[in-house]
Amino acid sequence: MIKVLIVDDSTFMRHWLVDVLANVEGIDVVGTAKNGLDALKKIQTLNPDVVTLDVEMPIMDGLQTLEQIMQVCPLPVIMLSSWTKEGATITLEAMEKGAFDFIPKPEFGEDLDSWKKQFIAKIRMACEANLHSLIKGQPQTPTLPEKIRVSHSEKEKTIVVIGTSTGGPRALEEVIGKLPAQFPAPVVVIQHMPPRFTGLLAERLNRLSTLPVKEAEQGEILQNGHVYIAPGGYHLQIEKKCGRLSSRLTLDPPLKGLRPAFDYLLQSLTNVTDYRKVVVFLTGMGSDGASSLVELKKTGPVYTIAEAKETAVIFGMPKAAIQTGYVDEVARLERIADLIHKKVCLGWT
């Protein structure tokens, strides 16, 4: 039985969340708390397995509460965020400080079944979280790899694509933050995240990286040494335009409930046969990207890296990729940027 503590300053929201989880098999709400101080006391007495934590609260807000939880009694924490820019910004900071995952608060008046299913799934998955990865704290200033002279022909063009979900913001900071300036390939990222949050994630990574990081836009030409994050709510395809790679955003139906989906991006790359591809699977729930990796491997040079279980917050996406038999290297998170850099610069020798 998964014991859950619900923390929210709104009496209505506390009661509503209790009702959502009532009679859900395998989940037991052991208590509620109205603010951070109340939550810290009840964690000690109720010993929950998972905490759901409101971002914006009086007395002690969600960020302060999260920091105390991760220092004193580390637990998987799911942040409940507002859709405001301030709420989304604080939520991303919470992810850096050890929150397991987040979910935007529901917009009442619409069909809530999908939200409820997602909320319950996150609680179940939280019990499988790698707590060691969550409590490491905010990543330190990354050390850039030594500069490697490009040894392969300029005609051997390369693109790097990264797929990630739960735990992704911190993992992306570790990987992208270590890639050097003037990196000789474009980097395209699929991070499972709602609209608005992906834009703020791009802004955050842009401040912390030597490479320019932005949300991908419709029809833009991809440049070497730039990082493009798929906007929440849109699929991202890569296509050729005048001999160069460009982005295409679509509202095609979600794949396995996901939009953007890594599978969708990888499928589009099967038509880009004159580029080498470095494909990276980082921490995340589910199996997004694994089935399309099999097809992509048949179309030309593809080098695949999967994050090791030891560092992944959730081993789902890397594990599914490994099980295809088409992963070339399994590596701890701190090694992945260096592996990408060497593969892009040294080529397939």
Side-chain angles (χ1 to χ4, degrees), residues 21-303:
L21 299 177
N23 302 317
V24 175
E25 185 178 357
I27 294 178
D28 179 26
V29 178
V30 293
T32 64
K34 60 186 177 181
N35 59 54
L37 286 177
D38 189 22
L40 293 173
K41 293 176 183 177
K42 289 184 175 177
I43 286 172
Q44 298 297 327
T45 58
L46 299 175
N47 193 28
D49 301 306
V50 178
V51 174
T52 73
L53 184 58
D54 187 15
V55 167
E56 300 171 272
M57 297 183 295
I59 303 178
M60 179 181 281
D61 65 25
L63 203 57
Q64 294 170 317
T65 306
L66 172 68
E67 289 179 304
Q68 288 295 310
I69 291 173
M70 300 313 289
Q71 288 175 13
V72 178
C73 48
L75 288 167
V77 176
I78 299 171
M79 308 299 296
L80 268 73
S81 167
S82 69
W83 283 94
T84 66
K85 182 174 182 179
E86 181 182 6
T89 301
I90 295 171
T91 299
L92 289 179
E93 189 174 349
M95 301 296 290
E96 296 296 336
K97 293 183 180 296
F100 165 71
D101 204 352
F102 78 96
I103 185 169
K105 286 190 173 182
E107 297 182 311
F108 294 97
E110 299 181 1
D111 181 11
L112 295 175
D113 286 345
S114 176
W115 189 94
K116 291 176 181 178
K117 289 177 182 177
Q118 187 180 10
F119 182 56
I120 292 167
K122 286 178 185 286
I123 290 173
R124 294 192 191 282
M125 189 60 64
C127 287
E128 300 180 24
N130 182 346
L131 271 177
H132 177 72
S133 292
L134 291 175
I135 65 178
K136 285 192 306 182
Q138 193 164 356
Q140 299 177 353
T141 303
T143 302
L144 297 179
E146 294 181 9
K147 189 172 183 180
I148 300 175
R149 181 175 295 175
V150 178
S151 64
H152 60 281
S153 167
E154 287 295 323
K155 294 181 180 180
E156 297 177 345
K157 298 170 290 188
T158 307
I159 181 172
V160 177
V161 292
I162 300 173
T164 186
S165 183
T166 308
R170 290 174 70 186
L172 289 171
E173 182 176 332
E174 172 76 17
V175 173
I176 293 171
K178 285 184 176 179
L179 294 177
Q182 300 177 335
F183 184 67
V187 180
V188 180
V189 176
I190 300 295
Q191 163 72 65
H192 299 156
M193 202 172 262
R196 184 178 292 119
F197 289 85
T198 47
L200 292 172
L201 174 64
E203 291 176 11
R204 179 177 179 83
L205 291 173
N206 186 59
R207 293 193 300 270
L208 300 173
S209 172
T210 59
L211 302 181
V213 183
K214 66 185 295 293
E215 268 193 318
E217 297 179 41
Q218 186 71 272
E220 70 179 311
I221 300 298
L222 305 187
Q223 301 180 55
N224 289 349
H226 288 64
V227 181
Y228 304 89
I229 297 180
Y234 287 87
H235 286 308
L236 174 59
Q237 287 181 325
I238 303 299
E239 57 186 12
K240 297 292 290 294
K241 180 184 291 186
C242 301
R244 301 181 66 185
L245 298 184
S246 68
S247 59
R248 180 171 181 265
L249 305 178
T250 83
L251 289 172
D252 288 350
L255 295 180
K256 301 176 183 175
L258 299 170
R259 191 173 64 199
F262 199 32
D263 268 313
Y264 198 91
L265 174 65
L266 296 184
Q267 287 169 13
S268 72
L269 285 174
T270 61
N271 298 315
V272 181
T273 57
D274 57 341
Y275 271 72
R276 299 174 184 270
K277 296 106 178 174
V278 176
V279 180
V280 182
F281 288 82
L282 297 180
T283 174
M285 292 191 292
S287 60
D288 189 22
S291 60
S292 296
L293 173 65
V294 176
E295 295 304 313
L296 184 62
K297 276 282 192 174
K298 300 173 183 177
T299 65
V302 177
Y303 193 84

